[in-house]
Amino acid sequence: MLADLHTWLTTASAGLLDGYLYPFILQGMLLTIELALLSLLLAVGLGILGALARLSRSPIARGIATGYTTLIRGVPDIVLMFIFFYGGQLLVNDLGARLAALGETWSLPFAVGWDYVEISEFTAGVFTIGLIFGAYMAETFRGAILAVPRGEIEAGHAYGMTPFQVFTRITLPASVRHAIPGFGNNWLVLAKATALVSVIGLDDMVFRAGQAGGSTRQPFTFYLVVAVLYLLITAVSDVVLRHLDRRYSVGVRRA
Amino acid sequence: MDVEAIVDNLPLYLQGTWMTIQLVALSLLVGLGLAVPVAVVAGSRRVWVSALPRAYIYFFRGTPLLVQMFLIYYGLAQFEAVRESFLWPLLKEAYACALLAFVLNTGAYTAEILRGAIAQTPFGEIEAARACGMSRAMIMRRIQLPSAFRRALPAYGNEVIFMLHGSALAGVITIVDLFGAARIVNSRYFVPFESFLTAGAFYLGLTFLIVWGFKLWERRWHAHLRARDATPTVTGR
Amino acid sequence: MKTRTTAWLAAAALMLGAAVVHAKDYKKLRIGVEGAYPPFSEVTPDGKLQGFDIDIAMALCAEIGAECSLVQQDWDGIIPALLARKYDAIIASMSITEERKKKVAFTDKYYNTPAKFARRKGSGIEIDPASMKGKAVGVQRATTHDNFITATYGDAVEVKRYASQDEAYLDAVAGRVDLLLADSVAMSDGFLKTDNGKDWEFVGPDFVDPKFFGEGAGIAVRKDDPELVELFNKAIATIRANGKYKEINDKYFPFDVFGN
């Protein structure tokens, strides 16, 4: 099936854009999409944690979550990416080396620490984008949870549900509808933010457009192609999001 | 932590900050000037009138700013006609390219914010203006735009912050803005953490300034929406 | 209680496992390369690394008897990534300079070629402060060339710094810089002799001042790996002696890039 697709694409795109469209650019697009989806997964996880922390009764959790969302949303994503990408590996491996040295000085019976942990550009990209958009998702989810009518939650309590049951059976499902517009918006911004990884040397479609544009001396053509591919991602997302919105708004009267 | 490398290069960071402020302020100013007519035309009910501005908005909101900047900076030189034109002395400067990309980008986002705000004008207000015998242009100028600006203010505040953050991309094309300064310090002293964290702190400071500025502005423009007991209402965000 | 003990044991085992990697036997090496510096290091359209640096790296690894893997890294992060243990050595035409020696250890040089300016043909720019006044000079950021131009002509010219040499060439073609300063061999083969650089030519003398340009290009390793420096030094001497170096050299250049 995949092999068929490959053959079809190869024949269909033969000679198009000096032969750079497929596999060169389109495989870069695949990497972009992969990166975006994995980052989204991480961002949603962090977003839920962040939202719960901000709504929790513990001042420490609230403080940490507020600090996280404020810091992330106050600094440009490309700067954050450079901090995490260049600094992150340094930090992780420095910690490993320090632990190892500590183990030696205390002459522990077993070795501690680690020599190096490989963090690829791709992993660094997923973590950075996930971490950044986790902060935006946290804000969206917090708003969505707060938008659930108080009465519905009280009704749950009145039925004798535990707080956990109330959260999983009422608050969470009911908040999805309120979260979708913000979620969709975050996703669209996230998808476009993946272009930044080309600056840290990950060969996504923007990076590849630069390479192809350089060797064919047609940078405009290739960047335009990539722009159109981004529009394609946006357009498909729009359709999916609209579908989701309709699905989760069943039962809500429309004007 | 290599504090010395940072302290020694504070002038470079300040120079970069000034460049960032210049870029953002100019882009916003020109971008807003572009956005108002685009928003008005894009709101037209006649498809052949609104198609072009809508396509412009769709393209610039649907593609990454980085790609837009590369299209202008690396892309335009592809065409002989551009390189021969009278605009080339300007377009060959990285600064002008970045500015053009930022203006077109923020122009599109701002136009979309304004278009939405104009469309939300309460119909009664327009009816009242019509009853007074105002022309459509006059209604736009006197009724729809002023109230649209007020409604758009919180969303525009977000756009200003996005523009500040987006401006960091100028550092990718040889401009020594705040991010560009950090890249120089990083590569000269091999201090990624220190150099980029410092830039991050500067950006955070600028972001707070903008948020604070918009709060004051909103308090002024939304004074009529405030509750009588004078506790300031929290808007939008 | 029992689960706690198990957890601790598991954690200890994990760390033991990780510690096995810690032993320094240099049987496996990761080499950091750049990939945007033709003909020394570049990426082919099908994504493979090639060039003088790459061949030298492979020859040295064979000599040491280590199994090597190449890691591509852009220039801005090439030393931080070495310090972060992303790889064990940098073979990327890196000049041996005092500034860099503060952070990393260098082997002996494995080649040394002079730096040179290039200008657009017919522009008539000469290499003196008066003629260069107000001109834009393109260099790769944080290279010896960047340091030299910033220190000597920094007040007279506008220094444009690029993340890679390739980007500087692109802007030279587009007419955004008036002069380029780079390694003469890299610029000759990577730009002037290519279709892109057909309108450009060398101008001015060779620059070799060790104060700025160091003692040539060496291999950088972490300071806590002095044994690795020795291994590489021995390997460089061996391939110089046994003809392997000459074989690689002749594949790329009609003259000996090792220098005096």
Side-chain angles (χ1 to χ4, degrees), chain B residues 2 72-74 77 83 88 91-94 97 171-174 176 180 183-184 186-192, chain C residues 75-77 79-80 83 99-100 103 141-142 146-147 150 158 160-163 167 170-171 173-176 178:
Chain B
D2 189 347
I72 294 169
Y73 184 73
Y74 292 118
R83 267 179 295 154
W88 185 243
L91 281 178
K92 73 176 220 184
E93 294 300 327
C97 291
V172 176
I173 55 167
T174 74
V176 187
R183 285 184 96 181
I184 292 181
N186 167 44
S187 54
R188 202 165 284 163
Y189 301 87
F190 320 113
V191 285
Chain C
W75 187 255
D76 274 355
I79 286 186
L83 300 178
E99 188 67 21
R100 290 182 182 134
K103 292 276 177 178
R141 183 173 28 237
D146 180 4
N147 295 342
T150 308
E158 183 197 350
K160 290 204 167 196
R161 301 177 180 87
Y162 295 88
E167 285 175 38
L170 269 180
D171 262 10
V173 176
R176 290 202 174 94
D178 304 298

Side-chain angles (χ1 to χ4, degrees), chain C residues 103-119:
Chain C
K103 292 276 177 178
V104 297
F106 277 103
T107 65
D108 301 334
K109 69 163 180 176
Y110 66 95
Y111 79 84
N112 188 11
T113 49
K116 230 173 151 104
F117 282 98
R119 65 178 175 196

Side-chain angles (χ1 to χ4, degrees), chain A residues 86 89 93 111 115-116 217, chain C residues 19 30 74 84-86 195-196:
Chain A
Y86 286 145
Q89 181 138 37
N93 292 327
D115 186 33
Y116 78 93
R217 303 184 72 182
Chain C
R30 279 159 298 136
D74 54 40
R85 296 165 188 274
K86 190 170 170 188
D195 191 38
N196 277 332

Side-chain angles (χ1 to χ4, degrees), chain B residues 121-220:
Chain B
T121 314
F123 194 65
E125 291 183 16
I126 298 175
E127 269 181 335
R130 271 193 205 147
C132 291
M134 288 193 196
S135 71
R136 282 190 32 202
M138 199 185 262
I139 294 176
M140 181 58 81
R141 211 176 61 233
R142 289 210 183 149
I143 310 291
Q144 287 178 283
L145 276 179
S147 75
F149 280 137
R150 281 166 202 264
R151 271 192 301 280
L153 197 56
Y156 189 63
N158 277 338
E159 171 53 23
V160 170
I161 292 170
F162 272 122
M163 193 59 252
L164 170 69
H165 292 179
S167 76
L169 294 181
V172 176
I173 55 167
T174 74
I175 296 171
V176 187
D177 69 335
L178 200 35
F179 177 56
R183 285 184 96 181
I184 292 181
V185 175
N186 167 44
S187 54
R188 202 165 284 163
Y189 301 87
F190 320 113
V191 285
F193 254 128
E194 293 89 331
S195 58
F196 292 117
L197 278 178
T198 308
F202 272 84
Y203 276 113
L204 198 62
L206 290 175
T207 307
F208 283 152
L209 272 181
I210 293 173
V211 171
W212 178 70
F214 267 87
K215 233 174 223 159
L216 289 186
W217 195 356
E218 274 173 33
R219 193 171 299 172
R220 207 179 144 72

